[in-house]
């Protein structure tokens, strides 16, 4: 049971920061940015490359996150700010095009082979009857600290109040003297950095590969929609629900169905769990489980 809980927390950690960033920028841009998951992929590659070039792993991840954060701002200025003047649908299609271009760039530069950090081999930590590796522990702690810092930023700082005001009512916020462009740039910077950091932490336990962003697309959007697009805290809770569903799919013994003592579904069915939750959410709760928060935040 403890191993199941740790697996859920690890999967939540994989999804939470990226889903938070997606929901955060949606609150202002009002369109689902498909290219957001590729920021995670870019961040993972850049972190690995910088670490292999000699930077300490913490500095490599920090530099990668800041670089991708600036890239997110540049993409907003050069592409999405213009497309949003047309319609949200056009912006979404544009984000799909950007996503495909980013994948093509990685394949052209780095190829299709995965890249991994150079990490020392260390024994896993034994917690009761459960096992947890040091990179997994570092990822969990980093994610928890950043989520706490984000809550403080969002609800207890002037910047956070400005972000929530602009997301709730942009016309009223502008009439109140808020600089909408500056706040939007700040949000894009923050969301891009969070996505890159999430991808870099995910690469700690897997690797950086060209399909990393594509593999994250469905669970990240499922988490964001389940939590209520535009509600970053709800997106984190949505990531938790998705993590529980995905972990359950591959950990529940279904041997009784096939007459065997032990039988488990293959890992390929993880995506099916996200599909089912996303479909049920769209049918029964199209605005997410926390739709009241969406209207307020």
């Amino acid at each position: 049971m403890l191993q199941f809980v740790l697996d859920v927390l690890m999967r939540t950690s994989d999804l939470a920061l990226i889903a938070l960033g997606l929901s955060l920028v949606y609150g202002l841009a009002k369109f689902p940015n498909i290219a957001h998951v590729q920021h995670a992929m870019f961040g993972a590659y850049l972190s690995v490359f910088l670490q292999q070039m000699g930077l300490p792993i913490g500095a490599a991840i920090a530099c990668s996150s800041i670089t991708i954060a600036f890239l997110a701002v540049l993409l907003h200025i050069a592409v999405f700010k213009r497309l949003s003047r047309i319609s949200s649908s056009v912006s979404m299609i544009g984000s799909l095009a950007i996503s495909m271009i980013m994948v093509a760039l990685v394949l052209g530069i780095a190829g299709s082979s995965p890249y991994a950090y150079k990490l020392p081999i260390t024994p896993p930590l034994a917690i009761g009857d459960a096992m947890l590796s040091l990179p997994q522990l570092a990822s969990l702690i980093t994610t928890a600290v950043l989520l706490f810092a984000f809550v403080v930023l969002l609800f207890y700082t002037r910047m956070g109040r400005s972000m929530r005001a602009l997301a709730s009512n942009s016309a009223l916020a502008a009439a109140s003297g808020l600089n909408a462009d500056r706040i939007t740039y700040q949000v894009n910077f923050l969301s891009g950095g969070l996505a890159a950091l999430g991808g870099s932490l995910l690469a700690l336990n897997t690797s950086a590969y060209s399909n990393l962003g594509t593999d994250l697309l469905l669970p990240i959007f499922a988490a964001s929609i389940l939590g209520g697009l535009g509600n970053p805290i709800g997106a984190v809770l949505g990531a938790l629900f998705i993590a529980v569903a995905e972990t359950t799919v591959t950990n529940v013994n279904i041997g009784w169905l096939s007459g065997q003592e032990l039988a488990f579904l293959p890992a390929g069915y993880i995506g099916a769990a996200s599909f089912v939750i996303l479909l049920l959410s769209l049918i029964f709760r199209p605005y997410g489980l926390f739709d009241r928060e969406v209207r307020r935040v």
Side-chain angles (χ1 to χ4, degrees), residues 60 92 147 168 249:
M92 185 182 70
L147 290 178
S168 178
V249 163

Side-chain angles (χ1 to χ4, degrees), residues 48-104:
V48 171
F49 288 158
L50 290 174
Q51 196 250 356
Q52 291 181 348
M53 290 170 60
L55 277 182
I57 189 167
I61 292 176
C63 290
S64 171
S65 300
I66 293 172
T67 302
I68 304 303
F70 278 112
L71 174 63
V73 175
L74 290 175
L75 284 174
H76 171 76
I77 295 172
V79 179
F80 299 124
K81 186 176 181 180
R82 300 183 182 187
L83 295 182
S84 63
R85 295 169 184 164
I86 304 173
S87 71
S88 59
S89 299
V90 171
S91 297
M92 185 182 70
I93 295 172
S95 72
L96 176 60
I98 293 295
S99 176
M100 296 174 69
I101 292 171
M102 293 174 77
V103 173

Side-chain angles (χ1 to χ4, degrees), residues 130-152:
M131 306 296 288
L132 187 69
S133 68
L134 288 179
Q136 288 176 327
L137 180 61
S139 179
L140 281 174
I141 293 174
T142 302
T143 301
V145 170
L146 286 173
L147 290 178
F148 176 78
F150 177 78
V151 170
V152 173

Side-chain angles (χ1 to χ4, degrees), residues 38 41 45 103 106-107 111-114 208-214:
Q38 306 305 344
M41 184 264 291
Y45 268 101
V103 173
V106 166
L107 287 172
S112 58
S113 300
Y209 58 99
S210 58
N211 280 335
L212 186 148
T214 304

Side-chain angles (χ1 to χ4, degrees), residues 235 255 282:
L282 290 173

Side-chain angles (χ1 to χ4, degrees), residues 96-268:
L96 176 60
I98 293 295
S99 176
M100 296 174 69
I101 292 171
M102 293 174 77
V103 173
L105 284 173
V106 166
L107 287 172
I109 296 172
S112 58
S113 300
Y115 290 80
Y117 294 105
K118 295 179 180 179
L119 298 175
I121 299 176
T122 56
L125 299 174
I127 306 175
D129 59 348
M131 306 296 288
L132 187 69
S133 68
L134 288 179
Q136 288 176 327
L137 180 61
S139 179
L140 281 174
I141 293 174
T142 302
T143 301
V145 170
L146 286 173
L147 290 178
F148 176 78
F150 177 78
V151 170
V152 173
L153 170 70
L154 190 63
F155 294 104
Y156 298 99
T157 67
R158 182 176 180 181
M159 177 183 172
R161 289 191 292 270
S162 299
M163 289 161 49
R164 289 185 289 126
L166 189 61
S168 178
N169 192 322
S170 57
L172 181 60
S176 301
L178 293 180
N179 189 327
D181 284 340
R182 185 186 65 188
I183 296 171
T184 303
Y185 297 155
Q186 291 172 343
V187 168
N188 276 277
F189 183 89
L190 185 59
S191 66
L194 287 172
L197 180 58
S200 300
L201 293 177
L202 180 57
L204 276 175
N205 304 300
T206 55
S207 60
Y209 58 99
S210 58
N211 280 335
L212 186 148
T214 304
D215 291 343
L216 286 171
L217 183 64
L218 180 60
I220 291 298
F221 269 79
S224 300
I225 292 172
L226 188 62
L229 274 171
N231 182 351
I233 305 302
V236 175
L237 296 177
L240 176 60
F241 284 123
I242 295 297
V244 170
E246 291 185 348
T247 307
T248 301
V249 163
T250 54
N251 281 270
V252 172
N253 182 9
I254 58 171
W256 58 276
L257 289 175
S258 57
Q260 303 177 27
E261 183 178 353
L262 289 175
F264 298 92
L265 290 173

